[in-house]
Each structure stands twice: as C-alpha cells, then as structure tokens.
Amino acid sequence: MPSPFPGMDPWLEGPPWWGEVHHALIHFAWQELNAILPKGYVANVGERVYVVHPEREIEPDVAVAEQAFPRPPVERVSTGALVADPPVILSADPLEVEEPFLEIVRLGKKSRIVTAIEILSPANKKKTSPGRKLYSRKQRQLLKSRTHLLEIDLLRGGNHTCAVPESWLEPYSPYDYLASLHRARAGNRFGVWFIQLRNRVPCIQVPLLEDESAVLDLQALLSKAYDVGSLREQIDYRRDPRPALRKEDREWTDDLLRQEGLR
C-alpha cells in the first residue's frame, strides 16, 4: 500500500527504517538511471567503508545484531586490609559501516566519472562521526574536480552537510529537506531544490557531459521503496516520528493520518 504522505514520510527518517530506505533508494536509482541514461553512460554503485565504535545509541543507518553481554562473575580482590569491589566489564566490537553512493560513468577508452550522487545518511550529518569526516573529504575533492556533485538530504535531523553554504539558504527557510547540485567547475554556484514535508518530492536534473542530462524522479523512488518494503504494515503511526515535527506540521500530520485510518 502507498505511503499516507504526498511526499517524504517523516517516519522513515529514524530507526529502524532509514537504513533500509537508504539502500533501497540507491538500488532503485541505479536501476532507473541505467534505464534512462543516454548511450555511452552507465550508473554504478560504490561504497565508503569505515569502522566505528558503538555508542549508547547506534546510528540508524548501521545494521547490527543486538548482543547481550553476560554479567561478569563477582570476584573480590584483596590487597591486604581492603577488599576491592568488582567492576562491571563493558566491551563491544567495532562496527564496519558501508555507505553506498552512485556514480555515473562516461564509457570509452578513457572512462571517467561525470556525476556523483549522494543520498545523505545520519552519520554524514553528525559532527563527530567518522562517516562525516570521510564524506567531507570526498565532497571537497569533488568540488575541485571535473565531476558534478548531486547531494540529496531527506533527513531533518543532524547538521547541515550539503556543499551549498547554509547561510545562503536562510531566505528560503523554513524547508524540511534539500537537494543540491554543484556542476563541475561551477565555482560558487549551486542549483538547489527546497523540499517541504507537505509537498511532493521533486524531479531532479542529473547533468552529464556538455548539454546531456537525465531526470530522476525522487518521489517515484521513495514510493517504490515504501511499497516494496511493505512499510505501511510495519510502521506504527500512533507514535511520534524522530526527530519531532514542528507544531503546525504535527497538527497537519495528525489530521492526515486520521483520514487514512492510521490513528
């Protein structure tokens, strides 16, 4: 069944759904691009891999199995007159995180990447995350290269991460989501799509070489991910989404969900 929302569903942003949705969007965008790209171009999926040490709350785009750590046996250590009380032993194995992204390649004797497409994850938007450091490094490299950079941010939480300066966006606030396009060697020029929770997610232009381009229908990709994942049957819309909505959006969302029989 389709999502009750006309655009982005805010319940998809938090755990446990975003990791599944993120991978589905990459996969469906890969399929769609390879179906519509002009002859001589191909879309490939790449991955950033890094290691993180688990914190109290694991990022929602990291898939891990929950493990119960056994309570250590009580062992009192004597050092003469005093007896030491036993500590609680805590340990956790580092996690290997895989972040997929898309690259459009121009085929030929000298194949080259013409466009990089990134769908941001919570780790990219967290200041202290290794995922943000890796992403920022790649972002800086792409902005100086001959490759177009298309960034899609469907997460209200976290810090501003897209390459377009946040201060430039203030006149268009409030907005909920964002897509930003930096064309190769365009200097300080960006194409920006401001996305509102109540509206359809837009179709985004994907530039290639010279005057060639493709169009990616983000709303269609989201709808497909929602439907294929049977998310309407799994999400409990009686609970509030994470992060929380603005007051006016809470009221609008509540009316919408009641009309759909989900509250």
Side-chain angles (χ1 to χ4, degrees), residues 52-59 92-93 95 126 128-130:
V52 297
H53 294 275
E55 299 177 4
R56 186 170 180 268
E57 181 178 352
I58 301 299
E59 294 291 349
D93 293 331
L95 301 173
K126 184 178 180 181
T128 58
S129 168

Side-chain angles (χ1 to χ4, degrees), residues 41 183 205 207-214:
Y41 293 92
R183 291 178 177 269
Q205 183 183 30
L208 305 172
L209 291 179
E210 299 174 350
D211 294 330
E212 295 180 301
S213 66

Side-chain angles (χ1 to χ4, degrees), residues 120-184:
L120 300 186
S121 73
N124 301 148
K125 301 187 70 178
K126 184 178 180 181
K127 283 187 176 181
T128 58
S129 168
R132 184 178 180 87
K133 293 179 181 178
L134 279 178
Y135 182 80
S136 297
R137 184 187 309 161
K138 177 183 178 181
Q139 185 185 68
R140 290 192 297 269
Q141 293 170 347
L142 287 172
L143 292 176
K144 297 176 183 178
S145 73
R146 297 186 300 160
T147 301
H148 309 302
L149 173 60
L150 174 60
E151 300 171 290
I152 301 168
D153 184 359
L154 297 176
L155 300 167
R156 289 169 296 119
N159 295 280
H160 177 76
T161 301
C162 289
V164 58
E166 186 174 16
S167 60
W168 296 10
L169 310 179
E170 291 177 359
Y172 303 91
S173 184
Y175 54 88
D176 298 293
Y177 311 104
L178 185 71
S180 171
L181 172 63
H182 181 268
R183 291 178 177 269

